[in-house]
Amino acid sequence: MNSEWKWDFAFQILPQMLWATLNTIMAAGIGYAIAAIVGLLFLLGQRTPYKIINVMVREIVEFIRSTPLLIQLFFVYFVGPQFGITLSAWVSAMITIGLHFGTYLSEVYRGALEGVPKTQWEACRALNFTTLYTYRRIVLPQAFPIAIPGMGNYLVGIFKDTPLLSTIGVAELFHAATAVGGYHYRYLEPYTIVGIIFLILSVPAAMGIRKLERSVNKAQGKVKS
């Protein structure tokens, strides 16, 4: 019966699933790197002395955050060519993930900066520190521990959202499982393996982020003391 688990079939397709896992990890890593940079740009755009730029960037951030990632993927990949912008599935996926999660990371950055006591900023201005020195030596070391949980959550979030990339043909883990299931007319084993792989990778990642957070906070405590 097709409803019975077949170990021989599971081991047969396992190498293909593991190979696709590398694509998934690479997609999540590249997407997160782009999102981290885009988030910083969005943050800077909202902290300029020009109000019109602040408002424009804020509206762009809210618009991207308010629309589903799947719709954004379809728009970039399928609608883009109608405007003369033709991108490969991989490039479309990385740009979309970067923009989508960049908006969320910009809010994480903003919250972390606002978490730094105002007295720190005032003291830097009173001591006539430059803006660069203020951020590099005073503000960012205090803001980074605040930002770690949010940044870590979105890293895991990007990883868990990579199956959406299969909708535009990116050969990640879920795409490979669907292809294997369609070819062999068996979906139990490939989809179960996908779930197990995501669990194996996501849980240690979340634990590692929490450990990093504790280590940074502990280091900050030693510095303050």
Side-chain angles (χ1 to χ4, degrees):
M1 295 177 61
N2 288 334
S3 60
E4 294 179 354
W5 178 271
K6 293 186 177 180
W7 284 104
D8 56 341
F9 179 64
F11 285 117
Q12 176 187 340
I13 65 174
L14 184 59
Q16 187 174 349
M17 295 293 97
L18 293 178
W19 182 257
T21 302
L22 296 178
N23 287 338
T24 297
I25 295 174
M26 183 170 65
I30 296 175
Y32 186 80
I34 296 174
I37 297 173
V38 170
L40 180 60
L41 295 177
F42 279 143
L43 172 68
L44 295 176
Q46 296 180 70
R47 296 179 68 86
T48 65
Y50 306 103
K51 186 175 181 180
I52 185 171
I53 296 179
N54 295 346
V55 173
M56 288 177 59
V57 174
R58 183 64 187 175
E59 291 302 318
I60 292 173
V61 168
E62 289 301 322
F63 174 78
I64 295 177
R65 291 178 62 195
S66 301
T67 52
L69 176 60
L70 182 60
I71 300 301
Q72 295 170 10
L73 281 169
F74 279 24
F75 190 88
V76 173
Y77 186 66
F78 294 111
V79 180
Q82 298 183 23
F83 295 92
I85 305 175
T86 303
L87 303 173
S88 67
W90 263 99
V91 174
S92 298
M94 296 302 97
I95 291 176
T96 306
I97 286 180
L99 287 174
H100 184 83
F101 284 94
T103 60
Y104 289 97
L105 286 178
S106 70
E107 292 300 296
V108 172
Y109 298 156
R110 184 172 64 87
L113 289 180
E114 292 180 352
V116 177
K118 292 183 179 180
T119 53
Q120 298 291 311
W121 300 89
E122 295 170 355
C124 291
R125 284 194 295 268
L127 294 171
N128 201 26
F129 289 161
T130 64
T131 302
L132 180 61
Y133 184 88
T134 298
Y135 273 98
R136 182 168 61 89
R137 298 302 300 270
I138 308 299
V139 175
L140 292 183
Q142 298 180 67
F144 181 61
I146 302 174
I148 288 178
M151 294 177 66
N153 288 339
Y154 286 118
L155 173 60
V156 176
I158 289 178
F159 178 69
K160 292 192 295 184
D161 279 350
T162 53
L164 292 176
L165 306 185
S166 66
T167 59
I168 60 173
V170 175
E172 47 73 58
L173 185 57
F174 185 77
H175 183 274
T178 301
V180 168
Y183 183 81
H184 295 279
Y185 296 101
R186 288 193 61 86
Y187 292 94
L188 174 62
E189 291 84 0
Y191 283 156
T192 301
I193 290 175
V194 168
I196 293 173
I197 291 176
F198 270 98
L199 185 65
I200 291 174
L201 294 178
S202 296
V203 172
M207 294 175 62
I209 292 167
R210 287 196 293 269
K211 184 177 181 180
L212 174 62
E213 180 184 359
R214 289 194 296 268
S215 299
V216 172
N217 288 331
K218 184 177 181 181
Q220 285 291 105
K222 290 183 178 179
V223 171
K224 291 180 181 179
S225 60

